[in-house]
Each structure stands twice: as C-alpha cells, then as structure tokens.
Amino acid sequence: MDIPVEEIIPQRKPFILIDELLFCDNEVSKTSFTIPQESFFTVNGEFETAGLIENMAQTAVARIGYLAKYVNHGEVTIGYIGNVHNL
C-alpha cells in the first residue's frame, strides 16, 4: 500500500510513530516503523514502552483512517482511543 500516513492519521511529525500501512482488511492491520535514535520515546538507546503503545494506537487509527478514506470514501476523523485496559 503506497499511502502517505499523514493522509490517514491525525498525528504529525515528529510524533508519527508508523512509517507505512502495509496491510489492512476487516480484521488485521499491519504497519512498519523504524525507530529513530532521536525519538521522544528513546532513552539511552532503548525504545520505551510508551512508544510501543503509541505505535499500536497509531496502527489502529491508520486502519480506521484507511477504511474511512479509501474504502468508504469518507472523511478521516480524529479522536478514537479514549483509554486502554489490561495492556
């Protein structure tokens, strides 16, 4: 899928934590992400748990944005995830 992630998620650089939406269907979404050395979520060369959680959230939002824009031909909206339990 060659879709700029800025078209399907509300986050903007430098806070984008996915590089590409690789796959999306009704049940599964897959993204890629290369962790930059100078990331908000990298401390002493280690990617923090908060960064992984944000990556997962952006993957979920990318799916919703992709389906809204490219499958349903609608608008990409913001404000999806209110909270996370039992992570």
Side-chain angles (χ1 to χ4, degrees):
M1 305 179 96
D2 191 23
I3 299 166
V5 294
E6 292 88 354
E7 290 185 10
I8 56 175
I9 66 172
Q11 289 82 0
R12 295 293 173 252
K13 290 181 180 183
F15 203 64
I16 294 177
L17 296 182
I18 60 174
D19 294 328
E20 182 181 0
L21 178 62
L22 300 172
F23 178 81
C24 179
D25 68 12
N26 289 330
E27 296 181 16
V28 175
S29 301
K30 295 181 183 180
T31 59
S32 65
F33 180 58
T34 301
I35 302 167
Q37 289 295 319
E38 292 86 32
S39 168
F40 289 114
F41 297 108
T42 303
V43 177
N44 297 324
E46 298 283 327
F47 194 58
E48 295 187 320
T49 303
L52 181 58
I53 294 168
E54 181 60 27
N55 169 268
M56 292 173 10
Q58 289 185 24
T59 297
V61 170
R63 176 186 182 279
I64 294 168
Y66 171 79
L67 293 174
K69 184 169 184 158
Y70 292 100
V71 175
N72 299 323
H73 306 290
E75 294 292 320
V76 176
T77 59
I78 60 171
Y80 300 101
I81 300 172
N83 59 47
V84 177
H85 295 280
N86 302 321
L87 184 62

